[in-house]
Amino acid sequence: GYHADRWKKLLIPYSSPTKAYFDTSGQDPFCMYNYLLEMTTWNKSIRRGFIKVKIIDNAGNTVESQMNSEASTFQQYKRVNILTGFHRDIEKIAKISLTFSTKTLIGPKKKLRILQMKLKSLNNPKR
C-alpha cells in the first residue's frame, strides 16, 4: 500500500466528517499520477464533451489518461478545470495531445478551439 500521511494535515482540521477519494490503478504498482488540466476555449458557441489527454516525453514514451465519465461544458473565455489521471508518470513532458469527443455517433463533428491551457502535476506540484 501507499502511505496517506501527507494528507493527514489537510483532513484533520475539519470538524465534520470529511470524504477523501484516493484514486488507484488496476495495474501494478496500483498508483495513479494526477494532473489538473486548466483550459480556456474561444469557440463562440457552447461545446459539451469529453477530453482525453496524452503526454509524451523526448524518448517517445507515451501515457494516456482515461476519458472522464462526466462531460465538461466549454464556453468562450471561461476557464475549465479537468482532473486527469495516468497509470505512469512522465517526468519531462515534451508534447501534450488533447482529444475532444462528444461521444455522439450522429451529427456533425465539433472542434474545440483552445485559447490557453496549463497541465499541472498534483503529485509533484513544483513541476
Side-chain angles (χ1 to χ4, degrees):
Y2 294 93
H3 298 284
D5 293 343
R6 71 181 190 169
W7 299 98
K8 187 176 181 179
K9 290 178 189 174
L10 296 171
L11 298 176
I12 287 193
Y14 297 102
S15 58
S16 61
T18 303
K19 288 184 183 179
Y21 300 93
F22 299 95
D23 287 339
T24 59
S25 165
Q27 303 168 2
D28 191 17
F30 305 106
C31 54
M32 291 291 289
Y33 298 93
N34 296 300
Y35 286 78
L36 180 65
L37 175 65
E38 295 177 2
M39 293 176 47
T40 305
T41 58
W42 60 275
N43 288 70
K44 288 183 181 177
S45 58
I46 295 173
R47 299 279 189 258
R48 191 154 166 73
F50 304 87
I51 296 286
K52 188 184 282 191
V53 182
K54 185 178 0 178
I55 54 179
I56 305 158
D57 67 9
N58 285 325
N61 297 312
T62 302
V63 64
E64 201 167 310
S65 71
Q66 300 298 316
M67 198 168 284
N68 293 345
S69 57
E70 271 189 49
S72 297
T73 302
F74 302 95
Q75 299 177 48
Q76 188 175 35
Y77 307 128
K78 300 284 183 185
R79 186 171 65 190
V80 176
N81 294 326
I82 300 171
L83 182 65
T84 60
F86 300 92
H87 297 291
R88 286 185 300 117
D89 194 20
I90 289 191
E91 209 168 302
K92 294 186 179 182
I93 298 172
K95 290 182 185 178
I96 300 171
S97 171
L98 303 178
T99 303
F100 174 67
S101 171
T102 58
K103 286 194 175 178
T104 58
L105 299 175
I106 56 174
K109 290 189 176 188
K110 303 283 184 178
K111 288 185 180 181
L112 187 65
R113 300 181 190 279
I114 299 171
L115 180 65
Q116 182 182 40
M117 67 175 253
K118 179 168 66 170
L119 187 67
K120 180 180 178 183
S121 173
L122 297 178
N123 297 79
N124 302 294
K126 293 180 182 177
R127 243 197 291 163

